Structure formats: structure tokens, C-alpha cells
Amino acid sequence: MSTPTATLTKHQMYIDGRFVEPAGGQFFESDNPYTGEPWALIPRGNAEDVDRAVRAAHKALTKGPWPKMTATQRGALLRKLGDLVAANAKELAALEVRDNGKLFAEMNGQLNYIPQWYYYYGGLADKIEGSVIPTDKADMFNYTKYEPIGVVAAIIPWNSPLLLTAWKLAPALAAGNTVVIKPSEFTSASALTFIKLVEQAGFPPGVVNIVTGFGADVGGPLVEHPLVAKVAFTGSDATGQKVYEAAARGLKRASMELGGKSPNIVFDDAEIDNAVKGVISGIFAATGQTCIAGSRLLVQQSIHDQFLEKLVAFAKTARMGDPMSTDTQVGPVTNKPQLEKILKYIDIAKSEGAQTVLGGARASRPECGTGWFVEPTIFSGVNNRMRIAQEEVFGPVLSVIPFKDEEEAVSIGNDVVFGLAAGVWTQNMRRALMMADRLQAGTVWVNTYRAVSVLSPFGGYKRSGLGRENGQDMIKEYMQTKSVWISTATEVPNPFVMR
């Protein structure tokens, strides 16, 4: 626990249109993963802060300018916010790199793409249409309309904070809701800076609020608050289950994007060099800290040895170091607990009999300095029953599993509790379509990997989540349907009989 000092950047929470100190007066340090040293002070919120934020959001939902705005006016504010994000993209990207250690090249690309969420849902805000229902009741006019759910709790992970904030915030606001954001305790600085742009865009006080802190202090009280109507969560399946259980006790709506153990499947007719790049992208980009990581490489037996040799040779060339450098390809792990978790799984894999063909340890290269780096690691000789093949590591660790034919590829690919994504590498169109049909995953990429778009729905099967994000239809996950009946009869019929 720390008190503010001149050497660390101090942030404040944002509640009801104002930057405020935490109710308990406490702060905690946020570390730079590249140096392993603290660089910022983040407010440590508690249940009192949560209550203030939720009540401010509820007030903004029911009183003041926000509920009086037309959908067109809400859309205009979202588009203005998109412009402000675009104008400040480089600064926000650098802030995220400092806080979560991902490559500047990736974060800058994300920040330049993030405005599209605010443009897209800003444009969609006034295009959600109800229906006139041709009912079977005489002398009745029936129509439907969509209305906001209420106060939305948006719980954001540490791997891509502002991107995943946009995935929730843009549709929630377009639908007319108000929002309380709880960023990860590891990466709160970018959200607390981004909120200045929300204020600058002209959103009324209380429409968007941010409470920072730890799960038990802030996350739990936020999910359980009686005025929260919906929970939008991204994170691990274990935490997601607890959040879902808490939301269920309050009969709250919930959308959850959780973990993955995605298969990246290479057939013997694949373009080998492209498939190698796709596998690298799937597991070593973002230091493997992505829910869609292709952490299980399934390779057809006839090309297994050849493919593994090429893969290891390519992975050995990965440049590690300062994530702000344009030459760096693999950055540090975002936080120390995650570093320890990854190293533990590496030890588990070795104890299970997996063969280390690359890496397998904490990086000690001079260019990694004192940061939290793990060598890109590849295990061969893995079978799908091993923990390294079943459990999400969330790091640069790849398990290589051979398969004989299409049937076995499907069987192994689906034989996990997750179902977020999958990759297929083949030149056979019949095979590509068949695999896409049979793989139990919310996203299937063919001859590519890690492609996402504001236009395309994203979410998981099985323990990888509930609901979808992105795309046109998912805005209705932030809305509720109202059915309106109007009688055109000249007199009321028998009042003791249901119409």
C-alpha cells in the first residue's frame, strides 16, 4: 500500500462527472512490466465508491439530459468520442504499453482502430427498430420497441483495456444505458485517462463512471449492487463463473467473454510457410496473453517433424525487449502473478513428460533487463489429456499435438471445456467448410488467425462465455423489448375473460 509521492503519477476515480479521491483515501501502485517497477498510483476503491458510482449512473439514467436525448443525439456524442480517441491514439497507446507491456506496434494499431466502435455504434444508435405485430386479436394494435436495460457494470481485463472497454461501452451507450467501468487493478491508468475524452465529448455527468480497485473490494460490490441491471465481463472462466453466480442471485443480465484453449490445426496440404506464421501469430503475438491464443497446435502426422522444425527455427528469431521499440516482437508479461503462473505451467508440462523444444524458462536476455519476460516456449510430445493442453496458460507457451486425419483433428480440437476460437490451415475448400461446421468455437479462422472486426460477432461456446460482442445484432444484448397493446374496440368486452 502506498501514499502519493512526487515520483509516481497519481490518478483519481471518475464518479458523477468529477474526478474524486477514493472514499478510503488509499492508493496502490501500478507497475511497468518492462522494468518491473511502479510508475503510477491508482485509487483503491471500496463498496462506498461503488455505491456512489452506481447511484450516479442510476440518477443519470432516470433524470437529467441523458434520458431526454434522442438516439440520434446519443450517436452524435459517440462519434465525437471516436474522433477524440483517434486524435489521442498515440498517447493512449503509449500509456497502455507502460501499464500492460504489450508492443507499441500492437497497441497503436488497436487505438487507431478503436474509434470504429464509437463510429459504428454511434451510427447504429438510431437504427434499432421495433415491429408492428400482426396479431391474431381483433381490434388490437400491437407494436414492440427496444429500451435500455439500465445501469451496466463493465468489468475489463488487463490485456487490452481500452479495446475491450470500447466493445462494451459503445453499444451500451448507443442503447441508452449508463455505465460503471471497473478496469483491472493491473491496468487502470489508460481507462482513467480515456475518461477525460468521454467528459470532453460532452456526455452528461453520471453516464460513464470509473471505479478502480481489487475484485473483492470493487468487483464484488459492483456486480451485487441492486441498481446494476447488467454485467458485461471479460476475464478468466474461473472468475467469470463467480461473477455469473453473483449476477444470477440478483437476476441480472450477463454477457461474458471468458477463456480459451484454442486449437490451431495444420493439415498436410497447407501452405507451410503461411501456416508457420499463423501459428506464431496465434501464440507469441501479444506474448500469448490473449483469450483467443492458439495455444494448442494440432499438426497432421505426415508433416509433423517438418513443420515443427520450421516453426522452432522461426520462433527462435523473435526479438524480445522494450515494447516501445518498433523492433521488438515479444514483450513482457503484464504482471508478476501472471509471470509466476506461466512459469508454474511450464514446470507442470515438463513434469507431465512434454518435451521442451524451445524456451521453457524465464528470459534472461540482456535486452529484457529486469522485466517480466518469458522465453517463447514450445512443447512437443503433448497429448490432449495433459494439463498443459487442457488449462489456459495465458502466456507464450505452445503445446504441439499430432493427429492422423480429419476425424481425429475434430475430436482433439473439441476435447476441451473451452470453445472461443479455432484456426484451420488447408487448401481444400471442402475440408475448410467441414472443419468450420464441426469445430465447437465461436470464431473459426481459415488460413489466418487473430482477425477481429467491429462488424463481426465475437464470443464463445461452452466455458468460453455467454452472449456475443461486436456486430449489429449484439446491441440488443444491452436492450430490453417492450410490447405495447392498444385497443381500437368501441367497448371493452367481457372483463372476466382474457383477451
Side-chain angles (χ1 to χ4, degrees):
M1 189 64 56
S2 297
T3 55
T5 67
T7 58
L8 301 180
T9 302
K10 178 192 171 188
H11 292 272
Q12 293 178 302
M13 291 187 290
Y14 188 77
I15 298 174
D16 203 14
R18 295 183 300 116
F19 287 94
V20 298
E21 299 287 293
Q26 294 183 318
F27 291 75
F28 62 94
E29 294 174 343
S30 186
D31 297 326
N32 181 334
Y34 176 53
T35 64
E37 299 294 331
W39 74 278
L41 287 168
I42 305 299
R44 180 166 183 167
N46 59 26
E48 183 179 341
D49 297 302
V50 169
D51 186 61
R52 283 194 295 162
V54 174
R55 290 189 183 281
H58 188 263
K59 180 181 176 182
L61 180 78
T62 56
K63 300 177 182 178
W66 184 247
K68 296 176 184 177
M69 284 186 181
T70 65
T72 303
Q73 290 171 320
R74 294 197 303 268
L77 289 179
L78 281 165
R79 290 192 295 275
K80 186 174 182 181
L81 177 57
D83 289 340
L84 289 169
V85 173
N88 292 273
K90 188 173 182 179
E91 174 191 349
L92 291 169
L95 196 61
E96 294 223 317
V97 172
R98 193 173 188 184
D99 218 18
N100 77 358
K102 290 177 78 170
L103 302 185
F104 178 76
E106 167 136 332
M107 302 319 291
N108 192 47
Q110 282 189 12
L111 263 297
N112 279 286
Y113 190 35
I114 284 172
Q116 296 302 320
W117 270 264
Y118 298 107
Y119 297 150
Y120 182 84
Y121 288 104
L124 188 59
D126 58 3
K127 297 170 184 66
I128 306 302
E129 300 175 346
S131 302
V132 174
I133 310 298
T135 71
D136 55 354
K137 307 295 183 183
D139 301 324
M140 284 288 183
F141 175 62
N142 178 228
Y143 67 92
T144 60
K145 59 181 297 190
Y146 292 98
E147 297 181 344
I149 291 175
V151 177
V152 174
I155 301 178
I156 313 300
W158 44 257
N159 55 335
S160 291
L162 292 184
L163 176 66
L164 296 176
T165 294
W167 286 23
K168 296 165 178 57
L169 185 63
L173 295 179
N177 301 285
T178 56
V179 182
V180 178
I181 300 170
K182 192 273 180 198
S184 167
E185 61 269 26
F186 296 110
T187 54
S188 297
S190 60
L192 293 171
T193 302
F194 160 78
I195 198 65
K196 298 175 184 178
L197 304 184
V198 174
E199 184 177 62
Q200 189 177 339
F203 285 88
V207 172
V208 185
N209 309 269
I210 296 185
V211 181
T212 54
F214 297 87
D217 300 334
V218 173
L222 180 59
V223 172
E224 294 170 0
H225 198 288
L227 293 179
V228 167
K230 175 181 168 69
V231 178
F233 173 85
T234 298
S236 72
D237 66 313
T239 303
Q241 180 174 324
K242 294 176 182 177
V243 170
Y244 191 37
E245 289 169 353
R249 286 193 294 271
L251 295 179
K252 304 176 192 295
R253 302 275 191 93
S255 56
M256 321 204 89
E257 191 265 281
L258 307 177
K261 197 67 183 176
S262 301
N264 212 348
I265 304 170
V266 181
F267 286 94
D268 59 9
D269 67 334
E271 290 284 350
I272 298 299
D273 290 341
N274 286 339
V276 166
K277 292 177 183 177
V279 172
I280 293 288
S281 172
I283 190 60
F284 298 136
T287 320
Q289 298 173 116
T290 171
C291 51
I292 55 177
S295 53
R296 290 185 301 148
L297 168 60
L298 278 56
V299 184
Q300 197 155 19
Q301 288 174 350
S302 56
I303 61 166
H304 177 275
D305 293 349
Q306 171 198 357
F307 189 87
L308 185 58
E309 182 180 351
K310 284 190 171 237
L311 178 67
V312 170
F314 194 108
K316 282 181 178 178
T317 68
R319 294 185 294 273
M320 305 181 75
D322 185 352
M324 284 297 294
S325 171
T326 56
D327 293 332
T328 301
Q329 295 170 318
V330 178
V333 174
T334 295
N335 56 73
K336 195 170 184 180
Q338 186 61 25
L339 170 71
E340 293 168 352
K341 175 186 173 183
I342 295 168
L343 295 176
K344 178 182 177 182
Y345 269 105
I346 288 174
D347 289 341
I348 289 171
K350 292 175 180 178
S351 70
E352 290 179 319
Q355 300 167 15
T356 309
V357 294
L358 182 70
R362 182 171 180 173
S364 57
R365 308 181 192 190
E367 58 268 32
C368 295
T370 57
W372 299 321
F373 287 82
V374 175
E375 288 286 348
T377 297
I378 300 176
F379 288 109
S380 66
V382 176
N383 70 68
N384 204 51
R385 299 266 49 85
M386 292 180 176
R387 287 182 64 186
I388 197 66
Q390 288 289 316
E391 300 174 18
E392 186 176 42
V393 177
F394 219 71
V397 180
L398 179 66
S399 298
V400 184
I401 304 170
F403 68 88
K404 181 175 62 176
D405 53 24
E406 293 173 356
E407 285 299 318
E408 189 173 25
V410 170
S411 177
I412 296 172
N414 289 338
D415 188 20
V416 286
V417 297
F418 300 104
L420 191 59
V424 178
W425 298 85
T426 180
Q427 296 303 301
N428 185 316
M429 185 58 66
R430 177 207 60 79
R431 172 182 284 160
L433 292 173
M434 181 276 295
M435 293 296 293
D437 285 345
R438 295 184 62 188
L439 287 168
Q440 297 167 359
T443 297
V444 178
W445 292 291
V446 177
N447 296 330
T448 188
Y449 208 88
R450 273 190 98 219
V452 296
S453 170
V454 64
L455 304 170
S456 181
F458 180 87
Y461 288 25
K462 300 186 282 189
R463 285 186 69 89
S464 286
L466 303 166
R468 292 294 181 268
E469 296 185 293
N470 305 335
Q472 181 174 334
D473 290 341
M474 67 75 52
I475 193 173
K476 292 179 181 176
E477 297 208 16
Y478 289 91
M479 308 186 89
Q480 50 195 347
T481 307
K482 177 177 284 183
S483 179
V484 180
W485 292 79
I486 301 173
S487 174
T488 59
T490 55
E491 64 177 272
V492 176
N494 187 344
F496 297 100
V497 178
M498 178 182 281
R499 289 294 311 273

